[in-house]
């Protein structure tokens, strides 16, 4: 597609110069890129010290105008002719200052100093772009990504090699670009996205506390910075008004309780349409290299692991981070190393490394301080042993004692200072459930892999939301949640997984026909995976498992949950267990 003419309603691009933060010299005098570098230590000398930025509208196949921000390397205030490889971000607004939570990903435009053109394109129905957002990462957006990729590849300043990046909803958008196989798309660097939207947004059939936006008012959209030439915000106002026809996402999600639910708002079974995994064959056939970023404190980490297991050759880096964070890790530098390999053909050493880099926090260093990186080629890593550990009737983790332990579900389970939305963290609420505590550890114990809860449960209601936490208990009694899982009891039926999962992790199809309310007095077996983890419980601490019937993060508790009586039973014939991944 040719670049739009600067006439009529197309807003002209007016270049202005932004000085890059890093020092550098004349590109002709810049030293050559290093032939190899190790993980986390890729810092070639900058080639440019300036960049120019322009913003404009780009029409799609149906005439919908998408807002584009283009950052290009510059010399003496003028765009360098290139050609350069291009990386781009299919985002919610081209006003990067408004993108809270992007963290390291928001610094990608700085790669202009290394000879890249960086583009940001607001998705239709969002930000400065025109149009209506039909769903969230739907096929219309995917086909827009095809057009944008191919337009970027055919510009005179482009080498024709294009990469894409993003995190959270823009990570989803980046991965959806692969599903339509643009011929010039050569690499994708994406974090904290959903491989399967139902399994990410309704974990175990229980709605998550995030994913209900963006649904913005005209006034909120008018706070965006307009494209150049629209300083009076006339076009921005037109776009903002068009956005109001977008279906409210919170209402759409509420209308999709099962994996096969049909949404009349978007006329599709949207969990399937919006899932990257629905197009796994196309992604694999594309051959596009994929680099996934995740965090041990992000609820989407299991989705990153699923991508690794389902896309041959994909890579994963995961540290002790929350959603889209990268504290203690040079994220942009690693993205630069990845893109240099696949967009410039430079041997950056990445091909010779294992597919997975992960940092293992522990009881003493739970956050990013003093990161020690490990590597693996598979998940779980080689050498991990999944060990069934009984939940004793006496409340002891590892005890074979028969018995039942019960609790009453509270009406209000609060967790102060736990964060909100995708940043909200699980926490141990004393008295909110029942716990099984193991002995004091005589030696450091590493848990790396995907734990599985296997519970025998009786409830005095037709349904229940059941949560299980794997925890670290310090000598002073402080409890830290290591990882957690959840399952809606009526959706307990297991089926062969629709995509590859870590060995031993059960999968629940969760179709409407699979829903099975609990019968009075019935003891039901609930098997469900906990999110992947890597954590060292130090000597002197204890490992604990807690089961509850409510969590402060669930956005739609059962209407009769409060006051429900839940029993967890164990006996030789029907033991309750947790499978722990000992490394």
């Amino acid at each position: 597609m040719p670049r739009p003419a600067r006439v009529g309603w197309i807003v002209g691009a007016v270049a202005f110069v932004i000085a890059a933060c890093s020092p550098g010299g004349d590109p002709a005098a810049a030293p050559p890129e290093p032939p190899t570098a190790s993980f986390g230590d890729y810092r070639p000398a900058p080639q440019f010290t300036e960049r120019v930025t322009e913003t404009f509208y780009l029409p799609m196949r149906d005439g919908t105008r998408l807002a584009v921000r283009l950052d290009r390397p510059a010399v003496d205030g003028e765009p360098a002719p290139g050609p350069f490889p291009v990386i781009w971000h299919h985002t919610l607004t081209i006003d990067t200052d408004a993108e809270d939570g992007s963290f390291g990903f928001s610094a990608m435009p700085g790669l202009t100093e290394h000879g890249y053109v960086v583009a940001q394109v607001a998705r239709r129905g969002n930000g400065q772009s025109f149009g209506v957002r039909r769903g969230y990462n739907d096929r219309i957006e995917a086909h827009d990504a095809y057009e944008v990729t191919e337009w970027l590849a055919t510009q005179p300043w482009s080498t024709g090699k294009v990469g894409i990046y993003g995190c959270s909803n823009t990570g989803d958008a980046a991965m959806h670009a692969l599903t339509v196989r643009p011929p010039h798309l050569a690499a994708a660097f994406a974090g904290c996205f959903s491989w399967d939207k139902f399994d990410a947004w309704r974990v175990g059939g229980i709605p998550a506390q995030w994913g209900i936006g963006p649904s913005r008012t005209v006034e909120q959209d008018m706070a965006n910075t307009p494209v150049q030439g629209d300083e009076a915000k006339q076009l921005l106002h037109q776009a903002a008004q068009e956005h109001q026809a977008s279906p409210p996402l919170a209402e759409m999600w509420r209308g999709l309780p099962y994996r096969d639910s049909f949404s009349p708002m978007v006329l599709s079974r949207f969990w399937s349409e919006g899932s990257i995994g629905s197009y796994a064959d196309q992604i694999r056939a594309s051959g596009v290299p994929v680099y996934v970023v995740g965090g041990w404190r992000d609820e989407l980490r299991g989705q990153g692991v699923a991508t690794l297991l389902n896309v041959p050759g994909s890579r994963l880096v995961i540290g002790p981070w929350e959603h889209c964070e990268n504290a203690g890790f040079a994220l942009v530098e690693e993205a630069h190393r990845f893109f240099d390999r696949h967009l410039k053909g430079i041997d950056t050493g990445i091909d010779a490394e294992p597919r997975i880099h992960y940092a293992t926090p522990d009881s003493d260093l739970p956050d990013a301080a003093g990161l020690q990186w490990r590597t693996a080629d598979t998940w779980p890593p080689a050498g991990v042993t999944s060990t069934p550990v009984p939940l004793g009737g006496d409340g002891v983790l590892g005890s074979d004692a028969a018995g039942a332990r019960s609790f009453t579900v509270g009406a209000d389970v609060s967790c102060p200072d736990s964060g909100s939305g995708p940043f909200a963290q699980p926490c141990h609420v004393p008295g909110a459930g029942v716990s099984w505590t193991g002995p004091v550890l005589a030696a450091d114990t590493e848990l790396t892999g995907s734990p599985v809860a296997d519970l025998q449960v009786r409830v005095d209601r037709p349904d229940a939301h059941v949560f299980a936490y794997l925890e670290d208990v310090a000598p002073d009694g402080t409890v830290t949640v290591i990882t957690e899982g959840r399952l809606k009891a009526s959706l307990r039926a297991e089926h062969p997984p629709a995509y590859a999962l870590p060995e031993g992790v059960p999968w629940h199809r969760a179709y409407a026909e699979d829903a099975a309310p609990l019968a009075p007095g019935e003891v039901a077996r609930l098997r469900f995976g906990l999110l992947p983890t890597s954590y060292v419980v130090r000597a002197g601490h204890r490992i604990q498992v807690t089961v509850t019937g409510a969590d402060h993060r669930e956005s739609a508790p059962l209407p009769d949950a409060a006051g429900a009586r839940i029993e967890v039973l164990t006996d030789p014939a029907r033991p309750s267990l947790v499978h722990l991944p000992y490394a």
Side-chain angles (χ1 to χ4, degrees), residues 27-260:
E33 305 278 2
T36 60
S38 61
F39 169 79
D41 187 30
Y42 189 68
R43 293 176 174 82
Q47 298 169 271
F48 298 90
T49 58
E50 300 173 55
R51 69 173 182 259
V52 292
T53 298
E54 55 182 331
T55 61
F56 52 88
Y57 280 116
L58 178 69
M60 294 290 98
R61 59 206 172 278
D62 61 354
T64 299
R65 291 165 281 175
L66 302 189
V68 179
R69 168 176 165 161
L70 206 63
D71 288 283
R72 295 171 58 188
V75 177
D76 296 331
E78 296 295 329
F84 303 105
V86 184
I87 59 174
W88 75 284
H89 191 200
H90 206 184
T91 183
L92 297 179
T93 171
I94 60 171
D95 184 358
T96 56
D97 293 338
E99 293 190 32
D100 296 333
S102 294
F103 299 100
F105 284 87
S106 66
M108 292 293 187
L111 289 179
T112 55
E113 68 182 32
H114 294 286
Y116 282 91
V117 172
V118 184
Q120 298 179 70
V121 181
R123 305 209 297 275
R124 67 169 61 210
N126 292 284
Q128 299 87 344
S129 289
F130 284 78
V132 174
R133 172 189 45 74
R134 174 176 163 272
Y136 207 38
N137 308 121
D138 68 332
R139 301 319 290 160
I140 294 175
E141 283 187 5
H143 288 290
D144 287 347
Y146 182 102
E147 289 192 63
V148 171
T149 299
E150 294 307 292
W151 183 83
L152 292 169
T154 56
Q155 300 312 297
W157 34 257
S158 172
T159 63
K161 289 282 191 178
V162 180
I164 193 166
Y165 70 92
C167 193
S168 191
N169 69 84
T170 68
D172 272 87
M175 293 298 296
H176 272 282
L178 274 65
T179 70
V180 290
R181 299 176 60 184
H184 291 90
L185 187 60
F189 189 88
C192 303
F193 56 83
S194 58
W195 173 261
D196 184 286
K197 261 192 166 49
F198 184 88
D199 288 336
W201 295 28
R202 277 188 176 262
V203 182
I206 300 172
Q209 75 280 7
W210 43 267
I212 60 173
S215 293
R216 295 166 59 86
T217 65
V218 170
E219 291 73 23
Q220 288 173 320
D221 275 342
M222 289 299 291
N224 286 304
T225 302
V227 300
Q228 293 162 11
D230 185 37
E231 285 72 20
K233 295 190 174 183
Q234 293 180 341
L235 294 178
L236 181 63
H237 188 259
Q238 293 176 28
Q241 289 180 313
E242 287 190 9
H243 299 172
Q244 296 308 298
S246 302
L249 283 177
E251 182 180 343
M252 188 178 87
W253 300 138
R254 282 195 297 269
L256 298 169
Y258 305 108
R259 194 186 300 271
D260 60 343

Side-chain angles (χ1 to χ4, degrees), residues 565-580:
R565 192 71 175 169
I566 298 179
E567 294 179 273
V568 182
L569 305 93
T570 189
D571 60 48
R574 296 182 301 184
S576 286
L577 308 164
V578 62
H579 295 260
L580 297 182

Side-chain angles (χ1 to χ4, degrees), residues 215-443:
S215 293
R216 295 166 59 86
T217 65
V218 170
E219 291 73 23
Q220 288 173 320
D221 275 342
M222 289 299 291
N224 286 304
T225 302
V227 300
Q228 293 162 11
D230 185 37
E231 285 72 20
K233 295 190 174 183
Q234 293 180 341
L235 294 178
L236 181 63
H237 188 259
Q238 293 176 28
Q241 289 180 313
E242 287 190 9
H243 299 172
Q244 296 308 298
S246 302
L249 283 177
E251 182 180 343
M252 188 178 87
W253 300 138
R254 282 195 297 269
L256 298 169
Y258 305 108
R259 194 186 300 271
D260 60 343
S261 295
F262 180 86
S263 173
M265 299 179 73
V266 292
L267 301 179
S268 81
R269 289 184 168 84
F270 197 78
W271 294 124
S272 176
E273 179 186 343
S275 292
I276 297 157
S278 297
Y279 317 98
D281 288 342
Q282 291 93 320
I283 292 175
R284 288 187 284 261
S286 75
V288 173
V290 175
Y291 200 138
V292 179
V293 181
W296 296 130
R297 300 174 67 192
D298 175 50
E299 288 186 48
L300 292 167
R301 59 190 182 272
Q303 301 292 297
V305 168
T307 304
L308 182 87
L309 297 177
N310 287 275
V311 180
S314 56
R315 312 187 67 83
L316 172 67
V317 59
I318 186 165
W321 308 314
E322 294 183 14
H323 191 65
C324 292
E325 290 185 341
N326 59 283
F329 177 65
L331 179 75
V332 176
E333 287 81 353
E334 185 66 4
H336 181 196
R337 186 168 77 120
F338 175 68
F339 286 132
D340 267 6
R341 167 65 186 88
H342 296 292
L343 304 186
K344 291 186 177 181
I346 298 172
D347 179 4
T348 63
I350 199 168
D351 292 344
E353 295 177 356
R355 294 174 62 197
I356 306 170
H357 283 85
Y358 65 101
T360 303
D362 60 46
S363 305
D364 295 337
L365 296 171
D367 297 313
L371 285 180
Q372 298 294 316
W373 290 100
R374 307 177 183 193
T375 62
D377 280 309
T378 60
W379 187 266
V384 169
T385 303
S386 180
T387 303
V389 181
L391 304 179
D394 53 3
V396 175
L397 183 65
S399 167
D400 291 323
R405 307 193 70 226
S406 63
F407 60 94
T408 300
V409 179
D412 181 22
V413 180
S414 62
C415 187
D417 303 320
S418 68
S420 61
F423 302 96
Q425 298 299 305
C427 68
H428 178 87
V429 179
V434 290
S435 298
W436 292 262
T437 309
V440 174
L441 296 174

